[in-house]
Amino acid sequence: MAPDLPPPPRSLVQLEAARRRFGPGRVALLTEMVQTGDPLADAATRELRTGDEEARRASDLGLRHGAAFLDDRFPALRALLAAAEADPPWLDRARLARGSEAYLAIGNVWITLSLGPGSLTHTYSSPSIARVLVRTGNLTRMARRRIIETGVWNIETALPGGLERGAGGYVHNLQVRLLHAGVRASLRARGWDDRETGAPINQVEMARTWLDFTYVPFRALGAFGISFSHAELDDLYHFWRYVAHLLGVDPRLYGDVTDQAQAGELLALINGTMEPATDDTRQLTREMLVAVAELLQPSLRLPPPLILDLTHALARQLHGDALADRLAIRRPPIRLALPLLTLANRLRRAHERLWPRQRARAIRATVAYFREQLATLEGPTTYQRPAEGPGGLPVTQEPPARP
């Protein structure tokens, strides 16, 4: 642990047990990371805090066209963008493309189900994350909108070519990164106490959320018959490690996580030192499942109460009875039909592996559905609005002349 850090926040529990299982070095890193935000993004946000036209234009210009197009008036923003633009030494862009395909082949319905009952249920079980969301109004007042915006980020990230420099997914990830920095600054200005839970949106929370989009859904999908080959998982982790790079997650946390076993160990360390569920986590989970059910209704075309029962049944099946009970997730009768869904998915995946054209067709269908969803979104997402974070100007179609 860095010598100048204060004692561990009160939200970290069972540290001695964690040291025995994972070693003192990993627990020291965890303690450091829970008190660390994102220094590059935090500095850039302070620089852009004026919110004037010049600052917003600089943010939009840099995000979409690169640090080279900024002058010396915004050194912190240039430093952030330069770090994002520097490819990690392990990066293979051909594997990024394969990772995108492996993700899109899941299909839009199961991507949505893995996002809500899978990823976000686990995310909201964290009291420190729930505390941030409740204090900033996310989910408690605008659950459906926030689920849509998480979906937009996920879609833009996963679409073919989305992570190329200046493309939609690349820009959205950096906008999310700046939004996180803005939330950190706002909460601290309102009296956030780091001694309780560490820094708001700290590195451990960021790593845990990253695992909620990798380890958690990959394991969950496998439980429902959507399995991945070793090569597919390898490409998926390569893809999502680059997402972690763009989002500003410290590479000491995710750098050696390349498969489910390593990811599971990291999550076990984080979960084993986390507080139990709270009323905030139960409230967020309840409202999130309602929002997911509403969003799935056009695709599934089932009665809304039945879809809500399905989301509860899936969440309970994905996370187990112990966590489901702590989050007040129900036990609807429809859970008895889940083995049929698993069988159908296994048959579909087997068919696609035998007939690659079917897999390509499934990917095209998912891309078409996602593009249609993006076209119907009304207005910018929260992380794109100038009032709540930089980077909200309209897309510049062509780069200006280099200064």
Side-chain angles (χ1 to χ4, degrees):
M1 183 173 64
D4 56 342
L5 284 175
R10 287 185 281 271
S11 60
L12 282 184
V13 299
Q14 305 294 331
L15 290 180
E16 278 305 317
R19 289 187 186 98
R20 289 193 296 271
R21 176 175 173 183
F22 300 101
R26 296 191 71 183
V27 174
L29 177 63
L30 182 83
T31 305
E32 177 186 349
M33 292 292 96
V34 83
Q35 300 176 81
T36 305
D38 180 349
L40 286 174
D42 292 339
T45 296
R46 287 192 295 271
E47 190 174 77
L48 297 167
R49 240 8 213 181
T50 60
D52 61 21
E53 183 73 14
E54 185 178 20
R56 292 198 299 270
R57 185 176 183 277
S59 175
D60 184 75
L61 182 67
L63 290 176
R64 301 186 189 283
H65 303 302
F69 286 93
L70 296 180
D71 57 34
D72 293 336
R73 289 172 296 175
F74 299 97
L77 179 60
R78 287 182 64 179
L80 169 69
L81 295 173
E85 292 165 15
D87 287 350
W90 47 262
L91 183 66
D92 181 338
R93 293 195 175 271
R95 292 177 66 188
L96 284 186
R98 295 200 302 268
S100 169
E101 290 179 353
Y103 191 78
L104 293 167
I106 295 168
N108 65 284
V109 170
W110 280 96
I111 287 176
T112 303
L113 288 171
S114 68
L115 177 69
S119 300
L120 294 181
T121 296
H122 193 262
T123 298
Y124 298 154
S125 70
S126 164
S128 57
I129 292 175
R131 190 175 293 114
V132 170
L133 291 172
V134 168
R135 289 184 66 173
T136 57
N138 289 350
L139 268 293
T140 57
R141 293 197 300 265
M142 300 177 68
R144 192 175 191 276
R145 178 72 181 183
R146 294 300 180 253
I147 295 297
I148 290 173
E149 291 186 354
T150 302
V152 168
W153 163 79
N154 195 48
I155 290 169
E156 290 281 11
T157 296
L159 284 173
L163 295 184
E164 294 299 320
R165 193 172 302 166
Y170 178 90
V171 172
H172 278 247
N173 275 280
L174 291 178
Q175 287 171 330
V176 167
R177 186 173 179 179
L178 287 169
L179 173 69
H180 287 168
V183 170
R184 272 190 296 275
S186 176
L187 288 174
R188 280 179 162 149
R190 290 155 54 188
W192 180 273
D193 187 357
D194 284 24
R195 293 171 299 179
E196 283 293 326
T197 58
I201 315 184
N202 59 61
Q203 285 289 330
V204 172
E205 291 171 350
M206 292 162 63
R208 186 178 188 274
T209 302
W210 179 75
L211 291 165
D212 290 339
F213 288 88
T214 51
Y215 176 79
V216 171
F218 300 160
R219 181 193 61 183
L221 289 165
F224 283 100
I226 302 177
S227 59
F228 301 96
S229 68
H230 176 79
E232 286 172 331
L233 272 175
D234 194 43
D235 290 333
L236 282 165
Y237 269 102
H238 196 87
F239 179 88
W240 283 100
R241 286 169 71 211
Y242 185 57
V243 174
H245 165 76
L246 294 178
L247 287 173
V249 184
D250 193 302
R252 287 177 291 171
L253 289 170
Y254 72 87
D256 60 352
V257 178
T258 59
D259 58 31
Q260 286 290 83
Q262 294 163 328
E265 279 290 290
L266 176 58
L267 188 58
L269 169 63
I270 295 172
N271 280 349
T273 55
M274 187 180 73
E275 304 169 272
T278 64
D279 287 342
D280 287 343
T281 63
R282 286 183 280 274
Q283 179 185 6
L284 290 171
T285 301
R286 180 176 63 251
E287 294 180 1
M288 178 272 296
L289 292 175
V290 169
V292 169
E294 292 175 351
L295 292 169
L296 282 172
Q297 208 282 326
S299 295
L300 298 182
R301 298 180 182 180
L302 296 171
L306 185 60
I307 299 177
L308 182 58
D309 282 352
L310 178 62
T311 63
H312 275 260
L314 289 169
R316 179 168 284 276
Q317 179 75 12
L318 294 174
H319 300 288
D321 288 335
L323 179 58
D325 287 343
R326 291 197 296 271
L327 296 176
I329 295 171
R330 296 186 286 106
R331 298 173 182 261
I334 197 174
R335 72 185 189 278
L336 301 176
L338 294 182
L340 295 177
L341 291 177
T342 302
L343 177 60
N345 284 330
R346 284 177 179 159
L347 292 174
R348 177 175 68 86
R349 295 290 276 189
H351 184 67
E352 289 174 357
R353 293 189 194 288
L354 286 173
W355 303 96
R357 288 184 180 179
Q358 292 295 328
R359 183 176 186 269
R361 186 178 303 168
I363 292 171
R364 288 195 300 271
T366 303
V367 170
Y369 176 83
F370 281 167
R371 294 198 187 282
E372 181 182 340
Q373 292 298 104
L374 292 176
T376 61
L377 183 69
E378 297 180 3
T381 61
T382 300
Y383 56 82
Q384 294 174 302
R385 294 175 191 156
E388 299 189 48
L393 293 183
V395 177
T396 304
Q397 295 298 330
E398 296 295 335
R402 187 184 298 270

